[in-house]
Every structure is written in C-alpha cells, then in structure tokens.
Amino acid sequence: MRFTINGRSYELDPDIRTSLLDLLREHLDLTGSKKGCDHGQCGACTILVNGRRINSCLTLAVMHQDDDITTIEGIGTPENPHPMQQAFVRHDGYQCGYCTPGQICSAVGMLDEVAKGWPSHVTADLGAVELDEAEISERMSGNLCRCSAYPGIVDAIGDVAGAKP
Amino acid sequence: MRTFDYARADTPEAAVAGFAQTGTRFIAGGTNLLDLMKLQIETPTRLVDISRLPLADIEEREDGGLTIGALVPNSDLAADKRVIAKYEMLSRALLAGASGQLRNKATTGGNLLQRTRCNYFYDTAAPCNKRAPGTGCAAIGGFNRIMAVLGTSDHCIASHPSDMAVAMRALDATLVTLRAEGGQRRIPIAEFHLPPGDTPHIETVLQPGELITHIELPPPPAGRQIYRKVRDRASYAFALVSVAGAVSVEDGRIASATLAFGGLGVMPWRDPAVERALIGQAPGSPAFEAAADALLAPAKGHGSNDFKIPLARRTLISCLRHLTGTSL
C-alpha cells in the first residue's frame, strides 16, 4: 500500500484491519495523533484527509491510499509552529496535552469549514455564518478535553480566526 | 477485529457484482460499521469499498426536487445552498447529528443504514436479540432512558439514532437502489425501515448485495420548516425527542402538515393520524393537543424512558406553535 502523509510518500504492507490511526502511530512512528477512545467519540485522533478533519481511528488505512493526509506533525514543528499551535500556547489551551494534537487539527479543519460558509447547529441563519464563542464550542464538540481546558481552547481558536484577513 | 478480504469497487455495477458471498458488506464512510467491527458485533468476512464510486453529487431535477448521491458526505449535504434554501429541516437535522469529524466521513446512504442500537447492543456480555437473535433483551427492565416508546416489541426497544432520516421521512424521500441481480429499485423511505417485531436483527428491506445509489427528494413541502432536537447535552448526543416538520396555514386553517419524529420510535417515526388531526383545523391548543394525542396514543414507556411521552407532547406542541406562528 502507498500513502502520502505530510507530503511524504510511504510504501508498506500493514494488516488489512489497520486503522489509519494505527498506521500512523504503530507503523510510521507519527505518534502525535493520539488514541483516546478508538471509537470516534473523543476526537484525540483527528487528522486532515484531503483537507477535511476526520477521526483517524474510525477508518481503514487501506481506504486512504490515494489521499493527501496531514497529521499534527505536518501542521507545524517546534521550530516553526502553525499559528494555531502558537495560539494554544499563548492561551493555555491545554493541561496534560493528550487531546491537543487532535484539538489543533480539528480547529484547523473547522476554520476551513467556516471559510467555506458551512453552517452549524447553532447558526441562526444558515446562509450567514459568523464565528463566535457559541459557534466555536458547537463546532469543536467532537473533541473532548478531560482537563477541561475549553475556555483556553475557545480563546485560542477565536484568536486565530480573528487574525484572519 | 476479525480479519476480512478487501476489494475496492470502481463502478456501482462492479460493487454489486463483488457482493457474491455471504458475509460481504459494503463500506463507505465506515463510521458505524468499523465502530461495531472493533467490538466484533459486526464480523464481515469481505468488505467491498464503495467510497470511490461516482455517487457524490447533488443534482436539481426538473420537478423541483433534488437527487442526492448516496456518497454525499453529511457535512456537504448540510451545507449545500439548495438544501439550505429549500429543505432547511434536512440541513438542520444533519447539523444536529454527530460531530464535525463524523459528518465529514459519514455518507447519506450510510446514515440511512446505520444500525438501530442501544447500550446493551454494544455490551457483548448482555443478552440482545438484535446482536444475537434469541438471547433476550436486556433493555426491557434495564436502564432504558434512551430507548423507544413507539413501535417496540417484546424482542427489542432500541430507538433509531438518525437525525437525517427523520427529516428524510418528513420530506418523503425515495431511495434508489441497484439490485444484486441488476436493475434499479425505488423504495419510499416510509417502506425502508422495518419495526423490530420478532426479527430485530433485520432493520431495512434492503436485500443482500443491494446498493443504495441515490436518494430523491420531491419538491419541498409548503410552509415553514423545523428540526428541533431535545437531548441530554447541547451537542454530540442522540435525541431524546426530535421533530422534523413543515406546516402551512391558509385563511386561518392548517392547509398542510408533514411531521416526523426521532428518539421516540424504533425507526424514523411518522403517523398519518398526527397530520390528520391538524389539517383543516385552526392553529391553536385544541388542534395541537389532538395531534399530540394521536402521536402518543400507542406510546409505551419502559420505566426510565417514561418521561419521553410527556416530553414528546410538549416538544411537538412547541414546534407546532413555531411552525404556525401561534403564541401561547
């Protein structure tokens, strides 16, 4: 099987049952994506596939051979962090940090959805999306944080969204 | 997870042809199937990957309706400008379901095929007639807060979890399938899901190897539309009660009404008696109470879900006030 992850090509032959998350963590040593519940409930495994955020635990690696996969390792590096990563640091958007890679990938994907004009459950007029705290909370409800760093997470995302031209 | 053979299909015809043996399942978004495979509740021996089939478009038809490809992701369907403009209840139902990540993966066809399920279905140590036919139902007499109050049997009381399907039911969607032996079949959504009866493991009329290719929506119903979902937390939770509907009022009388319900039934629930109780009546409490009476006359609580019956009454009446612009 051939995969494109963070702009790099990989060729390997994992067990057919391998989830995309296990491929990243167990076969490619890309351990930034985390396994929390392994059932799509916690969001710690969130990555971007063709720019869209998904739960990497709930999909098979074999189904993503022709896709463009971006993990937290491809979002930014310690030397060159993504604006969202910088904002999480600035706003204290974590405590233990376990959910953070998923939160950040999810937030990056979510802001792209907002830019496309996608409404949410709390959008009053489905044709006119304006990002506020309630919108951020609703759109991030697939990412749990057991340390409950939610206020910092919402602030960090709002900061990045506001910084957009 | 049990191991399986895997094949990717390039055409719908090839997908159906690849479904030759028992134990085969189609996989598209996979968000429900893989979840259940990890627990060995689903144990397919062969997966036919249909996720790359060219069935991800939404097209307007001449009659004013929409044809939705079975592989359109839930997020794309919810955000489609034509859906927002003409079928707001569908957009709102989709947005009320699951999480952003799941909606990005889950497909329109898959949403209709997600398993009707409860906590005991997931608990492989508990008896469950749906998971293991003939073993009994742990939900009856167990913790059944989220279970159904309409359409249940002595064998199963699980509620249907979809929000989207409730809106599709109110909108009179039709499923278009490709049959295993070739040829199309059109299935009105009213005839698609099956009540549990004494075979709760059979949830739809879909035959082995039959593939949903499209979902057709007729032109939108008259009047204001709503999807209201009542749940235990504000986001990312199944409905306790939900209402999808449209009601039009002409000359002070209700001219048309379509109403479907989630969280209450063993399948997306619609009862013509509810609409009959409304049509021709003046909007107001007598008609709204009569509609709730009609909906809930056959309702049966199982202990910890008894509250759903009064909750459904209040939610329906509140929605009808909104839909008809009637104040208290």
Side-chain angles (χ1 to χ4, degrees), chain A residues 17 38-41 46 52-53 55 57-59 63 66-67 106 113 118 121 123-124 126 138 141 143, chain B residues 1 4 6 8 28 31 34-35 38 49 52 73 75-76 79 92 95 101-102 104-105 231 235-236:
Chain A
R17 293 169 286 187
D38 208 24
H39 285 276
Q41 296 170 6
T46 304
R52 295 165 71 108
R53 54 179 174 155
N55 301 114
C57 75
L58 269 193
T59 194
M63 297 176 73
D66 304 318
D67 290 327
S106 186
E113 294 165 6
W118 288 11
H121 172 62
T123 309
L126 294 183
E138 162 59 27
S141 72
N143 291 85
Chain B
M1 194 187 296
F4 48 83
Y6 169 89
R8 186 187 280 190
T31 52
L34 285 167
D35 182 31
K38 288 183 182 198
D49 179 358
R52 311 277 169 161
S75 340
D76 297 65
R92 294 231 176 250
L95 294 171
Q101 291 96 317
L102 289 170
N104 275 342
K105 205 79 174 80
R231 46 185 158 175
S235 187
Y236 202 13

Side-chain angles (χ1 to χ4, degrees), chain B residues 194-244:
Chain B
L194 294 170
D198 57 5
T199 54
H201 57 292
I202 302 171
E203 295 171 356
T204 73
V205 299
L206 216 60
Q207 296 298 303
E210 187 173 9
L211 177 72
I212 302 174
T213 57
H214 299 88
I215 291 90
E216 293 182 356
L217 296 181
R224 193 184 277 191
Q225 296 185 18
I226 196 170
Y227 187 77
R228 184 168 297 169
K229 181 174 182 178
V230 181
R231 46 185 158 175
D232 277 327
R233 59 181 185 221
S235 187
Y236 202 13
F238 289 129
L240 297 170
V241 176
S242 73
V243 179

Side-chain angles (χ1 to χ4, degrees), chain B residues 25-320:
Chain B
R25 294 292 303 267
F26 294 127
I27 186 165
T31 52
N32 186 222
L33 181 58
L34 285 167
D35 182 31
L36 294 170
M37 284 170 66
K38 288 183 182 198
L39 299 165
Q40 296 192 16
I41 295 168
E42 294 271 11
T43 53
T45 52
R46 178 176 166 81
L47 289 182
V48 175
D49 179 358
I50 58 167
S51 64
R52 311 277 169 161
L53 299 183
L55 297 172
D57 293 323
I58 304 172
E59 288 168 13
E60 284 172 288
R61 287 197 318 277
E62 280 187 14
D63 69 355
L66 282 184
T67 298
I68 302 159
L71 293 175
V72 174
N74 288 178
S75 340
D76 297 65
L77 186 58
D80 187 89
K81 297 293 179 210
R82 296 159 292 187
V83 174
I84 290 173
K86 290 162 72 176
Y87 304 95
E88 182 176 350
M89 72 169 90
L90 176 58
S91 200
R92 294 231 176 250
L94 285 157
L95 294 171
S99 66
Q101 291 96 317
L102 289 170
R103 290 191 295 270
N104 275 342
K105 205 79 174 80
T107 63
T108 309
N111 189 313
L112 292 168
L113 286 171
Q114 64 180 301
R115 298 298 307 270
T116 308
R117 54 199 192 270
C118 83
N119 321 54
Y120 296 104
F121 175 67
Y122 272 95
D123 177 2
T124 50
C128 170
N129 288 321
K130 184 184 287 293
R131 173 170 31 79
T135 55
C137 174
I140 298 173
F143 294 100
N144 47 44
R145 177 177 174 79
I146 66 162
M147 314 290 172
V149 295
L150 288 166
T152 56
S153 74
D154 293 340
H155 300 270
C156 182
I157 62 170
S159 55
H160 194 272
S162 175
D163 293 291
M164 184 199 81
V166 177
M168 293 275 195
R169 185 78 178 81
L171 292 168
D172 279 318
T174 297
L175 284 65
V176 183
T177 70
L178 185 62
R179 307 179 68 142
E181 61 271 31
Q184 281 192 343
R185 174 156 83 132
R186 298 171 56 80
I187 310 170
I189 192 166
E191 297 165 17
F192 182 68
H193 292 102
L194 294 170
D198 57 5
T199 54
H201 57 292
I202 302 171
E203 295 171 356
T204 73
V205 299
L206 216 60
Q207 296 298 303
E210 187 173 9
L211 177 72
I212 302 174
T213 57
H214 299 88
I215 291 90
E216 293 182 356
L217 296 181
R224 193 184 277 191
Q225 296 185 18
I226 196 170
Y227 187 77
R228 184 168 297 169
K229 181 174 182 178
V230 181
R231 46 185 158 175
D232 277 327
R233 59 181 185 221
S235 187
Y236 202 13
F238 289 129
L240 297 170
V241 176
S242 73
V243 179
V247 173
S248 68
V249 180
E250 287 172 22
D251 302 326
R253 300 274 163 183
I254 294 171
S256 66
T258 174
L259 291 156
F261 303 87
L264 296 175
V266 294
M267 49 191 191
W269 198 258
R270 186 169 169 188
D271 187 337
V274 177
E275 292 154 25
R276 276 202 305 271
L278 292 167
I279 291 170
Q281 304 299 313
S285 289
F288 300 165
E289 293 282 356
D293 288 343
L295 172 69
L296 297 166
K300 178 174 180 278
H302 296 87
S304 34
N305 70 349
D306 292 350
F307 74 96
K308 283 191 174 185
I309 297 170
L311 181 62
R313 171 177 296 275
R314 292 197 298 272
T315 307
L316 172 58
I317 291 172
S318 167
C319 289
L320 289 170

